[in-house]
Amino acid sequence: MKRRNFLSTGLLGLGSTMTILYACRETVKTTEQATTTPVEFPLEESDITSMLQQMKDGKLTSRKICELYLERIEQKDRNGPALNSVIEINPDALSIADERDRERAEGRLRGPLHGIPILIKDNIDTGDKMMTTAGALALEGNIASKDAFIIEQLRKSGAVVLGKTNLSEWANFRDERSSSGWSSRGGQTKNPYVLNRNPCGSSSGSGTAVAANLCAAAIGTETNGSIACPSSINGIVGIKPTVGLLSRNGIIPISHTQDTAGPMARTVTDAAILLSALVGPDPADPVTLKSEGHRLADYTSALDENGLNGKRLGFDKSVLGKHEGVDELITAALDALRSKGATIVDIDIRSKFRDMGSAPFTVLLFQFKDGVNKYLSTAHSKMKSLDDVISFNNQNAERAMPYFKQSILVDAAAKGDLNDKEYLSALQTVQKTTREGIDSVLKAEKLDAIIGPTNGPSWCTDHVNGDFFTGYGTYSPAAQAGYPHITVPMGLVSGLPIGLSFVGGAYQEASLITLAYAYEQVSHKRQKPEFTPSLS
């Protein structure tokens, strides 16, 4: 969740035209040299399908795959470029992998991810020996009594939970001057492409880990850009589903109208496989029951390399002119889409979302207070309320708040309950504006999706001034509407990845996957990171 522009523009990502090529303010020490002698990694850019086939053929085991990724984490995350994306390793990962290997030998496959190691964002409950802290020292020691529903689904699919990823503390909902990818428990995650650049957030660790080949795939969460931005900036695929397609039960919340988990992977195929494993109705999250008749059991059925033929895609030209490098990538992407039979339709959609004022941020403040208090009231943590967290941070300011404070936590704590007229009015404004805005354009222009650059190039990590978000943010209206969004690698600007966004109406995940996959197959813009220290 990204928050800085809410107060200045009323809508994150729309209205800021700041350039992103700031001079770096070096407040984070970066490794001067990524590696001295490149060492070939056996699973470099491996996809889930190939790993499954190699296990089937007896060439690999789940244990061997997990061991290779754990070695990779030690080399790249703890040492070498010190990416700092994995906050905790599952101490039972290898024993779980052994169990999956035994089951495979006996002919008992649990599901489409049998034996595949997946990393989980550290705001999602796992009923094991690992903590769930949202990166906050205040929640250190919080070990969940049971899995979040999506983790139950993941284990049923046969996946191995390899560990947990670092994130922007409290999913980037702590202070106006925060740095994405930094948490008081986990420290600062780096961008694997250029180490002193930011990985974006709040699913920073998941984005970096997938990009750097530290896992097969990962799970992130999003309230407003927290899957989209780190996926784009780390050169991977991210799917932010319709709110309610995946259960939110067991996930530390910000907003019950915008929160959702989602897959982050190196390919659209892998993201579709992971999404398929996570969906399902959960009685503990009644919103998931609304997805009956809308969700697919297997989203890989939507993969079609000819899926762009005859499709109409809306593009708002007002995003152009902010950065010539992004403009060049967009031009090439539009040409690629047309080459596969798509029609690009000029639309004006960004202007529809500029008059919401502070309503989007107001909604989040109220919902964060309500959701966090409910989560903490039953958590295995000494913190039982948002007020407890604020008090802890004040008492442990040197460790908990060394760079920025907790203004957003304080503002949220001062709000009333969800019957407050200020909240109800703001919620109506946000949902009516974003949903009607997207739906009306899709219908009027007979569009299959809305497209645009996910964001601009990454900024330099700066603990003094905080983040520098740019004026693209194709994902924000979809996030606020609760609608699906997919980002796919579109290329590099000065060695920094940029994603292409696909946005659709509610429960249009399958259609968006078709479009995203067809674009991926014609463009092939995913490039692995080289761990460059800086652009200088």
Side-chain angles (χ1 to χ4, degrees), residues 162-201:
L162 190 64
K164 290 198 168 182
T165 56
N166 196 19
L167 68 158
S168 312
E169 186 171 325
W170 288 107
N172 238 356
F173 206 68
R174 201 189 92 173
D175 189 77
E176 285 297 303
R177 200 166 38 78
S178 69
S179 173
S180 288
W182 184 89
S183 71
S184 57
R185 181 180 167 222
Q188 179 67 54
T189 299
K190 298 176 186 176
N191 186 314
Y193 288 84
V194 181
L195 299 176
N196 64 350
R197 295 272 164 166
N198 199 269
C200 202

Side-chain angles (χ1 to χ4, degrees), residues 64 73 78 83 85 88-89 91 125 156 164 226 300 313 362 364 380 408-409 415 451 471 486 508 511:
K64 182 60 177 177
I73 290 170
R78 304 293 191 254
L83 298 173
S85 65
E88 189 170 358
I89 294 294
D125 286 345
K156 288 178 183 177
K164 290 198 168 182
S226 287
T300 64
L313 307 176
T362 296
L364 301 188
H380 291 173
I408 294 177
L409 300 189
K415 293 297 183 183
I451 62 172
I486 299 179
Q508 294 302 303
S511 297

Side-chain angles (χ1 to χ4, degrees), residues 8 10 26 40 42 74 80 88 163 188 216 258 268 297 301-302 347 404 406 427 484 523 529 533:
S8 60
E26 298 293 352
E40 184 178 350
E74 182 65 24
E88 189 170 358
Q188 179 67 54
Q258 292 181 210
V268 175
S301 64
I347 60 171
F404 52 87
Q406 53 180 342
L427 180 62
S523 62

Side-chain angles (χ1 to χ4, degrees), residues 44-198:
E44 192 85 56
E45 297 295 286
S46 289
D47 58 42
I48 290 171
T49 301
S50 67
M51 284 185 269
L52 289 171
Q53 186 63 48
Q54 289 185 77
M55 284 190 284
K56 180 180 179 181
D57 295 341
K59 296 177 181 178
L60 280 176
T61 62
S62 177
R63 183 183 182 92
K64 182 60 177 177
I65 292 172
C66 289
E67 286 177 339
L68 287 169
Y69 278 127
L70 290 173
E71 291 171 6
R72 177 78 166 180
I73 290 170
E74 182 65 24
Q75 293 167 358
K76 298 296 185 183
D77 210 60
R78 304 293 191 254
N79 299 295
L83 298 173
N84 204 39
S85 65
V86 180
I87 201 169
E88 189 170 358
I89 294 294
N90 185 358
D92 296 324
L94 292 181
S95 63
I96 295 171
D98 287 339
E99 182 180 4
R100 298 295 174 269
D101 288 332
R102 286 192 295 270
E103 291 169 345
R104 181 178 292 278
E106 295 168 359
R108 296 186 294 117
L109 299 183
R110 296 189 177 209
L113 289 171
H114 194 95
I116 299 295
I118 305 294
L119 286 172
I120 313 298
K121 187 176 178 180
D122 182 41
N123 60 347
I124 304 173
D125 286 345
T126 55
D128 49 29
K129 297 173 184 175
M130 293 188 291
M131 293 183 279
T132 303
T133 68
L137 282 176
L139 296 193
E140 205 165 34
N142 178 41
I143 296 179
S145 59
K146 63 178 182 178
D147 286 335
F149 181 84
I150 61 169
I151 302 303
E152 290 181 6
Q153 297 290 89
L154 190 67
R155 295 192 201 273
K156 288 178 183 177
S157 77
V160 177
V161 176
L162 190 64
K164 290 198 168 182
T165 56
N166 196 19
L167 68 158
S168 312
E169 186 171 325
W170 288 107
N172 238 356
F173 206 68
R174 201 189 92 173
D175 189 77
E176 285 297 303
R177 200 166 38 78
S178 69
S179 173
S180 288
W182 184 89
S183 71
S184 57
R185 181 180 167 222
Q188 179 67 54
T189 299
K190 298 176 186 176
N191 186 314
Y193 288 84
V194 181
L195 299 176
N196 64 350
R197 295 272 164 166
N198 199 269

